């Protein structure tokens, strides 16, 4: 589990001083990824690299077109990834149709 960062907040009201710890909002960064159609063209491997300086919670989404009309398999994978490491996030099967190309994708890590 990742430690939560906090900010010290001082609120000054005449005759009163209030101090509170407020969680710092997480920051999301785009990271490198690769959605590759595997030999046989009925499965894809989803790779991504945590390019941040610390371990992070990462998510990647890839969507593909197939030879069958209106069959566009999409997969979203999420898991913790060590700092600076490339990992296979998951694999996706097409459901029996040949995958043709990646139509959209994105990846991000939360620090």
């Amino acid at each position: 589990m990742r430690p939560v960062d906090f900010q010290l907040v001082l609120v000054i009201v005449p005759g009163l001083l209030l101090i509170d710890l407020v969680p710092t909002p997480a920051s999301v960064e785009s990271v490198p990824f690769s959605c590759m159609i595997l030999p046989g063209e009925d499965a894809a491997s989803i790779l991504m690299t945590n390019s941040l300086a610390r371990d992070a919670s990462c998510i990647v989404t890839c969507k593909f077109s197939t030879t069958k009309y209106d069959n566009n398999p999409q997969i979203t994978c999420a898991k913790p990834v060590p700092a600076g490491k490339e990992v296979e996030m998951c694999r996706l099967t097409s459901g029996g149709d040949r995958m043709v190309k990646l139509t959209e994708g994105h990846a991000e890590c939360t620090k």
Side-chain angles (χ1 to χ4, degrees):
M1 179 177 239
R2 184 174 92 65
V4 176
D5 296 326
F6 289 91
Q7 282 180 311
L8 180 63
V9 177
L10 298 174
V11 179
I12 300 173
V13 178
L16 210 40
L17 174 63
L18 303 172
I19 300 174
D20 198 3
L21 289 176
V22 177
T24 303
S27 145
V28 176
E29 300 281 334
S30 292
V31 294
F33 69 99
S34 176
C35 305
M36 300 179 303
I37 298 173
L38 298 173
E41 301 173 330
D42 64 345
S45 174
I46 315 308
L47 302 172
M48 64 137 300
T49 301
N50 174 3
S51 55
L52 306 178
R54 64 190 234 189
D55 295 358
S57 177
C58 301
I59 187 167
V60 61
T61 298
C62 298
K63 186 174 183 178
F64 299 88
S65 63
T66 67
T67 54
K68 184 176 180 183
Y69 175 76
D70 207 26
N71 179 16
N72 301 297
Q74 175 176 305
I75 191 162
T76 299
C77 315
K79 66 182 175 182
V81 179
K85 299 291 181 181
E86 179 182 60
V87 298
E88 182 177 54
M89 296 291 283
C90 55
R91 288 188 178 210
L92 168 70
T93 61
S94 66
D97 299 317
R98 187 173 63 83
M99 290 187 184
V100 178
K101 68 178 181 175
L102 174 69
T103 58
E104 62 184 87
H106 65 275
E108 59 194 28
C109 292
T110 303
K111 59 178 184 173

